[in-house]
Amino acid sequence: QVQLVESGGGLVQAGGSLRLSCVVSGSIFSINAIGWYRQAPGKQRELVATISSGGSQNYGDSVKGRFAVSRDNAKNAVYLQMNSLKSEDTAVYYCNADIQSFGVGRRDYWGQGTQVTVSS
């Protein structure tokens, strides 16, 4: 059974930094694109950043220049370095991955989410 477990969320002051981590476990054959989405209260879930198996990165417009996504294929992990945080970055951050696993094939997986709160 494939699981995505996020960590690193918390409360930070505006202008500060946080680093989120997501580790994938289970009978994994390969991880294709992996990354982060977020959902603020009353809003739709939106793209934060993704990174392909080849290392190509894609960012939501609101985080470009402030956030950086990276992955460690040996650890089946993805990270999100968040700098210059703003109050509007407050949301639940979800890890998402396109995974090929044994017995299941290829499908999309989500983590349980981690809360990031930025105080102004």
Side-chain angles (χ1 to χ4, degrees):
Q1 184 177 355
V2 175
Q3 286 189 316
L4 280 62
V5 179
E6 302 106 331
S7 61
L11 174 64
V12 64
Q13 288 190 331
S17 298
L18 277 176
R19 186 176 188 244
L20 304 184
S21 300
C22 171
V23 177
V24 182
S25 62
S27 300
I28 301 162
F29 179 71
S30 63
I31 301 174
N32 302 306
I34 187 169
W36 299 90
Y37 290 75
R38 69 186 182 186
Q39 187 166 20
K43 295 187 177 181
Q44 289 189 327
R45 193 170 294 190
E46 64 174 358
L47 167 72
V48 177
T50 60
I51 183 167
S52 72
S53 56
S56 297
Q57 300 165 28
N58 184 37
Y59 293 93
D61 288 341
S62 62
V63 307
K64 287 179 181 176
R66 300 188 297 122
F67 290 11
V69 63
S70 61
R71 64 190 286 171
D72 185 332
N73 292 326
K75 296 181 179 180
N76 289 335
V78 65
Y79 308 99
L80 184 69
Q81 178 65 43
M82 304 185 293
N83 299 324
S84 302
L85 283 160
K86 306 175 181 179
S87 57
E88 50 263 44
D89 295 317
T90 295
V92 178
Y93 284 69
Y94 295 92
C95 182
N96 171 263
D98 175 7
I99 295 172
Q100 188 91 23
S101 61
F102 297 101
V104 174
R106 183 174 179 175
R107 57 156 283 191
D108 213 38
Y109 291 86
W110 292 90
Q112 81 287 353
T114 185
Q115 177 71 46
V116 171
T117 302
V118 183
S119 62
S120 56

